[in-house]
Structure formats: structure tokens, C-alpha cells
Amino acid sequence: MKFSTNLFIFIILTTTHTISLASAKKKKFTTGPEINITKHLYFPNFSPNNPIRTLNQDITLLGSAAISPENGCIQIPENNLQYSAGRAIYSSPIRLFDPNTRTPASFESTFTFQIHNPTNRPEPISGGLSFIIVPDEFTVGRPGPWLGMLNDACEDEYKVVAVEFDTRMNPEFGDPNDNHVGINLGSVVSNIVINVSEFGVHLNDGTVHRAWIIYDGYRKFLEIYLGPDGIVRPARGVYSGNLDLSPYLNEYMFIGFSGSTGNNRTEVHSICSWNFTSVSRAFLRVPSAESCESKFAIENYPNVSSKTPSSFYIFVAVVVLVLITMVSLYFNRKPKETNDSDEIAVVPKEKQRPSPPTRARKFNLAEINSATRGFAELQVLGSDSRSVTYKGSLVNGCNVVVKRFSGKFLSARVSDRRRMIKEVKAVGKIRHPNVVSIRGWCFDRQETIVVYDFVPNGSLDKWLFGFGVLPWTRRFKVVKDVAEALSYLHSKDLAHKNVKTSSVFLDVSFRTLVGDFGFVMSTIESTRFESLVSQKVDIFEFGVLVLEVVSGRTRRSVNPGELDLLDLAWAMHETDEKAKLVDRRMGLVVNPDQAIRVLEVGLMCTLNDNKGRPNMEEVVEYLNFERPVPELPMTRPVSLFPYSSTTGLCSGYTCAPFK
């Protein structure tokens, strides 16, 4: 009965304490008067030497945004880059919505900006700049007509308010011309569009403009003014009208600017000064108005019974709870066994400790089925002879990628499945900033499923060979990040076994991550042989990937009679014309010495293992300019080929199965 007595005392004390806390909490604070919460930002310029503010603490630069030391302005993009996007965000959130009254804050944002063509060419230029209100400070939107506002990671519930200054006409978005202002609410398609040519304003004429964006939260009324810098606010605005922003606001939001450029005829957007003031309403929480004098007055008048009912109900509740507890203990007590000990030791069952949220775990098939909506066709991201890949959503709302391996692929040899299970669990322990984390696995009912984290911006091949043109700075970073990831995997005695552009991913900040592991090389019978060659295969495949990144070409020629990329690269090396292999779509912003060095590293990785192929640790040092790149042979080694995209077999242990 000792345990029962302790439990009884604990329940009484806990109940009494909880009721007391609830009562005290109810009395401690009451709603006070309505007050104003004011926030004011002042950036006369964005020079790093500005003594007024510390820019690296106050302004967060994302994507291709940078601060120009020449003119003290924020530039988006930092150079005349094609198909790029960036954001400049004030680092702290600002209260823009009162959840109690559902009232938006009133604010005024005034800034000077310039849209100009650095090349000074007469043809039209394209791009756009936006003042944005967003729920976070780390998302980078898509380039092109998206103006850096939204990307594939932004779901329907992503809240964004923007006023865009667009210099590109996109008919699919309802743009009237290439010189308009748009008001965007949760979408890249403007809810309201204003042709500013009617007001004598030309956004991309290279002059410095000043914009005033004024919003009255109580009236839900928006005004936008535009004019040249150095004048007072014009009497006539380009827009004024009723607009309710409350559905698109959280209580605290981030404010700033986003911009983007298109595939060609790019422009640079500069924000040179910025003032922002917001006023939101809130109710002050103040201590209770109860005083010692009022308390004394109540005690002198016993007829005043405002507190009696609640006290009586609390007393009754405690008595009832005590009775229920005693009855429950009486009927659930166990008969005492006759033995030498005076008490029965209560040994609790050992509970299984939950896995940390960052550690890969085992999923059951029901969880996977629910996440992929029953492996629905609409959830399919891709497929090949080995597997089908689905997009899924776990019960906690996290988006994942579910790779379901074919039963035919693994049923031929039981050893394949055993080796794969062991390898999946080993890779699941890896945590590296350039490796896609394995969220878990499912080996159930002959199913072999691997669950990865979802990477919003998709795979590298879509950016290289699909929409847009990645600038050189991005491509160079991709090559270095992939090298870092493979070097780390090899240091852990692991291999990727599927290095290609479709297995390299870009997150919302354009950080490169390596994923979609190959795991088992089914064409190789010997496990020992596989362990000996798999890392060297990674290095060869990395070399081919480097050539694809620099050239912007696929490894396989698309036209009959043309050389494959690897053949072409060696041919150009033999004639000392490697510079012709660099993707011309990147324009003049390519660092030629850097690009040639990267090409040489890529070619070195395709050498025979006994003829100079480096390991990944050495590759990282070459790319970081920590050691000189050895001289390449002038002719391609004869035993480098052949390889087959269908069988995946190579001479000289040089390549892997192409999946």
C-alpha cells in the first residue's frame, strides 16, 4: 500500500496545485488598454561603412543578391547574370497583424531603386524587382517571371504579399506590357496590374526612381506612388484602392526585396535607400486591478459572495476526485502473495526510446502508403528499370521522396536485398550539409523502399538542360559541393554508385546536395569486387558530371554522328581548345581560368585508375586551389572505353551502370 498512498498524495497535490495555478493565472493579468507598437527602419544607403547600421546583422542577402561597394546599393543580381534570383530581407520579423482583432498593421515603405542595363545595349532588357512581405527569411524564389517571390517549395498556404516593378511582359501572367506595377497576394499572378507608362514612368530607363507604398490597416486601403528621386511625394498615385491583406499575413512577417532576371537581355536592380515604418495595435496585459483595500472591503461584507461559488466548486471537485481515487485503488489492488518479502517490487517494463528526429528510422508500409496516397500516379516523380519515385507527405507535414524498388530487380538474388538493406542503414547514419538525408526505410512484405528528405528546387539536370541558365558562380559551387559530399562518403568507406546530374539536387538556397544513391550494383557478382571499384566508379562518374556542368551538354549526344561529351572533351584537350567547351549561354561573367581548371580536373577523374586518376580528397584540394593540378596526358588512354549505357560494363574498371 506504500505505492498506493504515494500515488494518492501525488494526485491530491497535483490537482490542488493545478487548480491554484489556473486560478492565480486567471487573476494575475487582465486585458489592459489598447496601445500602438511602432517599428521604424532607416537605411539612407547600404554602404558597408555606414555607421548607422550594421548591415551584416540587419540585412540578410540570399541567392544572387549582394551589396555593391561602389555605389552603396543592394544589387539583385550581383552582376549581369542570366536567369538568377535573389532576396534582401530585414533580418528580424516585424509585427504586421493582430490575431485578436484580425486587423493588419498600417505601414509605409519608401525606397529608391534603379533598373539598368550594364551592357548599355539598345535592345530591351528583362527582369523585375519586388517589395515583399514573406513568412520567413531563408526562401529564395525562382528566377525569370517569378521575380524571386515563390518557388516549388512554396505550397498553396505560403503567405506572400508583393508589389512588383516588372520590366518583362509575360502574357501567361496577364501582364499588359513590359513596364508595369503589380500587386501580388499569395501568387506570382498579380491581382492588380497598373500600366505605369500612363503616368510617364519608365522603370528600366536607368534613372533612380522613388516608390511610396502606404497601407492603412484599419481602412484596409493601399496607395502606391512613383516618381523620380529627390522630389516630394507626387499628388497623384499610380494606384489607390481598398485591399484586405489580413488573409496573407501572419502576426510576424519579414520584409525586404526580391528580384530576378531572365534567360537573356538581363538587367541589374539596385535598391539604394529604404525607410520603413509600421504601426500595429495590441492590447496591453496589465496586473489585476484588485488591491488590498478592495480585498479588505469584501471581507467586511460577508453578504458579498462573488468568490464563494467558484471556491465551493473547487472544494467539491477535489473531494470527488479523492473519493474516485480511493475507490479505484481499493478495487484494483492485487492480493499480497505469501513470501518472505514484506513488499512486492514493482518493476516497470522497459520502454523503447524514440529515435531522435534527425536519425533515420524504419517505416511501416501503412505509413508509406498514406504518405504517397496509395502510391498514386499523380505522386510519381520519375521511374526507371529499377524503381519508381514518389513525392510523399508524412503525418507531421514534412515532404519526402519515396523510392520504391522493383521486386524483379531484387528478387533475382536474395544476397542483393541483404546487401542493400545493410547499405541503406549505413548511409542513413550519414549527416552532411551536401548529402540528402535518408529519412528512413521500409523492408516489409517483400517491399524495399527508401525515404529521402524532399529537396524543393529539384535536380541539377532540370537546371542545366531544362529551364534557364545557371551562372558560372553557381556551377562552380555545384562542382565543389558534390566533390565535398563524395569525399566525405568515401572517408566513411561508402560510395554513391549513381553519380549523375539527376542525382544532384538544389535546395531553396541553391545549396547542392547529393542523393538518390545507387546502393547495389546488380551487374557485379562479387561483393568484394564491388567494394574495391565502387569509389573509383564514383570518381569517374564525377568527372563526366563536371564536363556536363561546365559545358551545359548531356553526356550522350542527341544528334546522330556527334561525339559523346567525353570524346568531345578529350578531342578538344588534344587540340588545346578546351575553352570552346565552356557553355556560351553563361555570357561574359565566366572566370576562364577557373573554368579551364575545373575541366582539367574533370578529365583527370576519367583517367584509368593506374594512370593518374585522383581520389576525391585530392579533387577537393584541386578545386579549392590548395594544390596544383597535374599535367594531363595529351592523348586519351586507349583503355578508357568502351562503355555501354545498356549494360553498364566498362573496361579498366572505369565506369558504373548508367541507370
Side-chain angles (χ1 to χ4, degrees):
M1 289 299 291
K2 183 177 181 181
F3 172 74
S4 302
T5 305
N6 290 339
L7 178 62
F8 170 71
I9 296 173
F10 171 78
I11 292 175
I12 293 177
L13 293 176
T14 302
T15 306
T16 308
H17 182 62
T18 302
I19 295 173
S20 301
L21 282 179
S23 178
K25 186 177 180 181
K26 191 173 181 180
K27 294 178 181 179
K28 187 176 182 180
F29 291 104
T30 60
T31 301
E34 193 175 10
I35 61 170
N36 287 334
I37 298 177
T38 303
K39 180 70 175 181
H40 180 64
L41 310 180
Y42 175 55
F43 293 96
N45 59 65
F46 295 95
S47 171
N49 299 322
N50 184 0
I52 296 179
R53 311 197 72 90
T54 306
L55 290 179
N56 60 355
Q57 296 179 359
D58 288 344
I59 299 294
T60 299
L61 300 174
L62 304 172
S64 62
I67 293 178
S68 171
E70 289 82 10
N71 56 16
C73 299
I74 296 173
Q75 287 189 182
I76 306 175
E78 54 187 314
N79 293 305
N80 187 25
L81 302 178
Q82 294 180 340
Y83 211 75
S84 61
R87 282 187 180 182
I89 301 293
Y90 183 67
S91 301
S92 301
I94 294 176
R95 192 174 190 270
L96 291 177
F97 182 67
D98 181 16
N100 295 321
T101 61
R102 309 292 300 173
T103 303
S106 299
F107 63 84
E108 178 174 351
S109 181
T110 305
F111 53 92
T112 58
F113 67 96
Q114 180 188 35
I115 301 176
H116 66 285
N117 179 5
T119 62
N120 295 319
R121 294 177 181 175
E123 68 264 19
I125 55 180
S126 66
L129 175 72
S130 299
F131 168 74
I132 55 174
I133 302 173
V134 291
D136 63 69
E137 77 280 27
F138 51 82
T139 297
V140 178
R142 288 181 62 180
W146 284 265
L147 303 186
M149 285 188 286
L150 296 168
N151 63 25
D152 297 334
C154 303
E155 305 292 343
D156 295 337
E157 65 271 11
Y158 187 86
K159 295 183 176 182
V160 59
V161 175
V163 177
E164 65 175 44
F165 303 86
D166 199 352
T167 60
R168 176 69 182 268
M169 179 179 177
N170 297 101
E172 67 273 21
F173 291 161
D175 296 343
N177 60 6
D178 58 357
N179 187 49
H180 63 273
V181 170
I183 301 171
N184 300 59
L185 303 176
S187 171
V188 295
V189 180
S190 300
N191 298 67
I192 300 168
V193 183
I194 305 103
N195 179 6
V196 295
S197 300
E198 299 176 356
F199 298 86
V201 177
H202 299 281
L203 297 172
N204 59 2
D205 59 4
T207 64
V208 179
H209 302 274
R210 181 175 289 274
W212 292 262
I213 301 172
I214 304 170
Y215 185 68
D216 188 329
Y218 278 97
R219 295 169 55 207
K220 296 182 175 58
F221 193 81
L222 178 68
E223 298 175 275
I224 301 174
Y225 297 85
L226 269 176
D229 187 29
I231 68 168
V232 296
R233 192 175 74 193
R236 180 190 176 196
V238 298
Y239 174 79
S240 61
N242 294 316
L243 192 66
D244 186 8
L245 301 183
S246 56
Y248 307 97
L249 297 176
N250 296 328
E251 182 175 4
Y252 288 90
M253 303 286 284
F254 290 85
I255 59 173
F257 302 90
S258 70
S260 70
T261 57
N263 289 335
N264 47 37
R265 300 176 297 173
T266 59
E267 62 193 15
V268 173
H269 315 93
S270 300
I271 302 100
C272 298
S273 66
W274 183 27
N275 293 338
F276 179 88
T277 302
S278 66
V279 180
S280 62
R281 304 289 285 175
F283 289 96
L284 186 66
R285 297 182 67 192
V286 298
S288 172
E290 184 183 71
S291 64
C292 295
E293 183 178 355
S294 61
K295 211 169 186 181
F296 179 76
I298 291 175
E299 290 176 358
N300 286 335
Y301 293 93
N303 293 331
V304 180
S305 57
S306 59
K307 299 294 181 182
T308 304
S310 61
S311 302
F312 174 76
Y313 294 145
I314 292 173
F315 173 77
V316 171
V318 171
V319 172
V320 171
L321 183 60
V322 170
L323 291 175
I324 292 174
T325 304
M326 293 180 67
V327 171
S328 176
L329 291 173
Y330 176 80
F331 283 103
N332 291 303
R333 75 186 193 282
K334 292 183 179 180
K336 191 173 183 180
E337 296 181 5
T338 57
N339 51 31
D340 296 334
S341 60
D342 294 330
E343 295 182 353
I344 299 176
V346 180
V347 181
K349 293 183 179 180
E350 183 180 356
K351 295 183 179 180
Q352 185 178 359
R353 298 177 62 185
S355 299
T358 57
R359 183 180 299 175
R361 68 178 181 89
K362 180 180 179 180
F363 288 89
N364 58 52
L365 192 57
E367 290 179 283
I368 303 295
N369 192 67
S370 174
T372 58
R373 301 179 183 178
F375 299 102
E377 291 186 6
L378 292 176
Q379 301 295 109
V380 174
L381 296 175
S383 62
D384 54 30
S385 60
R386 297 177 41 162
S387 61
V388 180
T389 305
Y390 301 84
K391 182 179 179 181
S393 182
L394 302 179
V395 292
N396 60 4
C398 293
N399 290 328
V400 294
V401 171
V402 176
K403 188 161 188 175
R404 185 186 193 187
F405 286 87
S406 168
K408 296 179 181 178
F409 168 70
L410 292 172
S411 62
R413 288 194 301 269
V414 178
S415 59
D416 274 356
R417 192 167 189 266
R418 290 175 181 170
R419 284 160 47 207
M420 182 173 179
I421 291 172
K422 182 178 179 180
E423 195 167 355
V424 168
K425 292 182 177 180
V427 176
K429 298 177 181 178
I430 294 295
R431 290 296 178 267
H432 187 271
N434 299 118
V435 176
V436 178
S437 296
I438 290 182
R439 183 65 66 93
W441 54 81
C442 177
F443 307 126
D444 187 16
R445 300 179 187 175
Q446 303 303 314
E447 290 280 4
T448 304
I449 297 171
V450 181
V451 182
Y452 293 93
D453 281 343
F454 178 74
V455 185
N457 269 345
S459 55
L460 177 62
D461 59 329
K462 302 297 191 301
W463 292 88
L464 279 178
F465 316 126
F467 49 80
V469 179
L470 278 179
W472 171 247
T473 53
R474 295 287 180 201
R475 299 192 195 202
F476 186 46
K477 190 173 187 304
V478 164
V479 171
K480 292 201 296 183
D481 286 350
V482 174
E484 291 277 2
L486 294 179
S487 177
Y488 182 78
L489 288 172
H490 291 184
S491 71
K492 300 297 182 182
D493 295 327
L494 297 169
H496 188 275
K497 304 179 184 177
N498 191 28
V499 179
K500 53 186 179 180
T501 54
S502 60
S503 301
V504 176
F505 302 90
L506 302 174
D507 69 2
V508 292
S509 299
F510 281 84
R511 177 168 52 99
T512 308
L513 296 97
V514 176
D516 194 16
F517 289 77
F519 295 118
V520 176
M521 296 168 64
S522 60
T523 55
I524 296 178
E525 298 289 342
S526 169
T527 304
R528 183 179 179 184
F529 180 73
E530 178 182 352
S531 64
L532 289 174
V533 304
S534 56
Q535 292 186 2
K536 304 187 186 304
V537 169
D538 279 356
I539 300 169
F540 179 90
E541 290 292 300
F542 172 77
V544 179
L545 180 140
V546 167
L547 301 180
E548 291 182 289
V549 171
V550 177
S551 66
R553 306 176 183 218
T554 59
R555 63 179 65 189
R556 300 291 178 187
S557 60
V558 293
N559 299 320
E562 287 187 353
L563 294 176
D564 283 347
L565 179 58
L566 194 52
D567 286 314
L568 180 64
W570 275 105
M572 289 187 170
H573 168 66
E574 291 171 2
T575 58
D576 198 21
E577 295 178 312
K578 291 190 291 293
K580 293 183 179 180
L581 198 63
V582 179
D583 192 350
R584 296 180 179 179
R585 297 178 301 164
M586 293 187 288
L588 302 176
V589 297
V590 179
N591 184 327
D593 295 335
Q594 216 174 50
I596 296 300
R597 184 184 183 93
V598 173
L599 279 174
E600 291 176 346
V601 173
L603 289 173
M604 188 183 306
C605 291
T606 63
L607 292 172
N608 287 351
D609 183 42
N610 58 351
K611 297 294 184 181
R613 185 186 303 179
N615 58 45
M616 287 310 303
E617 184 179 359
E618 293 171 332
V619 169
V620 171
E621 292 175 348
Y622 295 146
L623 295 174
N624 289 331
F625 293 82
E626 295 173 357
R627 63 159 63 183
V629 178
E631 187 174 349
L632 286 167
M634 287 308 299
T635 57
R636 184 185 66 199
V638 177
S639 61
L640 185 66
F641 289 105
Y643 64 81
S644 167
S645 61
T646 56
T647 64
L649 299 177
C650 313
S651 63
Y653 308 158
T654 53
C655 59
F658 289 94
K659 309 173 188 62

